[in-house]
Amino acid sequence: MLLGGLNMGEYAYDFTGENAHDGPSRNPRDLARMTGGSSGGSGAAVAAGMVPVALGSDTNGSIRVPASLCGVFGLKPTYGRLSRAGTFPFVSSFDHLGPLAAGVTDLALAHDAMQGTDPEDPMQAQRPVEPVLPSLEDGIGGLRIAIAGGHFAQGGHRAAHDAVALAAKALGASRVVEFPEATRARAAAYVITAAEGAALHAERLCARAADFDPEVRDRLIGGLAIPAAWVARAQRFRRWYRRGCWSCSPRWT
């Protein structure tokens, strides 16, 4: 397995696969295009056939984005399902560790191998190993598959929407689901991410600011400037979303 791949956004606070110290990760599908971040090196290594499986970290999409842009499979598991021990944190309350692979079989094999309780990660759920590889033979029968609407249908290039439509047709998905307050949830996640990530690096920023990737440094400094009232409000929204809003079924149409 490859952790971080050829290159990774500094401290996992990256969206494009670029790194001021080592240069950008190149997308093997088209070298003129980005890999996405922050686990862009992992996505590129799998897409190029350099390794069958790689690991990535995901806080706000850092496995899913490179997997999508590089044309491979990526899995952000349920929070706490897989151990994060041995990795450097970014936002502990959001961080996930998961595999990227060229196919779902390798993805399932990696996921199953990574299961099991680990006392080194205090946030890991105390659950027994539940292999997922055998379930691949079941196919998609019985699954409810829908198209994300509302917030997720706004913006984006036409090619991206066309790709979603093509995948939905192949999967026989015609229903649209709208998640309530998705726009506010995204904003709250970014506030919490910026504040927690900045707090983690505050001492290093004071002592060695010039050593940071300039773009990452600016994001972290911005996080330190976020008013505490904003963070508290974002956390209240997060608790409300989990207890109240999310307990209601998404609207299917």
Side-chain angles (χ1 to χ4, degrees), residues 144 179-180 237-251:
R144 292 195 303 169
F179 293 91
F237 175 83
R238 183 183 186 183
R239 291 191 294 271
W240 171 81
Y241 201 86
R242 293 183 64 184
R243 290 198 307 262
C245 177
W246 188 244
S247 65
C248 303
S249 299
R251 295 185 293 273

Side-chain angles (χ1 to χ4, degrees), residues 151-238:
H151 169 86
F152 300 96
Q154 301 170 10
H157 291 287
R158 176 62 183 270
H161 291 294
D162 289 346
V164 170
L166 185 64
K169 182 178 180 181
L171 295 170
S174 59
R175 293 181 293 181
V176 176
V177 61
E178 291 192 25
F179 293 91
E181 300 288 1
T183 301
R184 288 181 64 194
R186 180 177 184 270
Y190 279 178
V191 168
I192 296 168
T193 295
E196 275 196 43
L200 177 66
H201 293 284
E203 292 186 9
R204 278 180 288 272
L205 283 169
C206 291
R208 303 171 57 185
D211 291 347
F212 282 79
D213 179 317
E215 292 189 7
V216 173
R217 181 187 62 224
D218 291 348
R219 293 184 193 116
L220 293 172
I221 291 174
L224 290 174
I226 294 176
W230 292 14
V231 180
R233 184 175 181 181
Q235 291 286 14
R236 285 198 301 270
F237 175 83
R238 183 183 186 183

Side-chain angles (χ1 to χ4, degrees), residues 1 53 55 75 77 81-83 97-99 104-117 124 127-136:
M1 287 189 181
V53 177
L55 298 184
L75 175 65
R81 191 66 181 91
L82 302 181
S83 174
L97 192 69
V104 293
T105 299
D106 285 343
L107 203 67
L109 284 167
H111 176 268
D112 288 353
M114 294 168 67
Q115 291 190 59
T117 57
Q124 190 187 19
R127 295 181 58 177
V129 174
E130 301 171 17
V132 300
L133 182 63
S135 65
L136 294 184

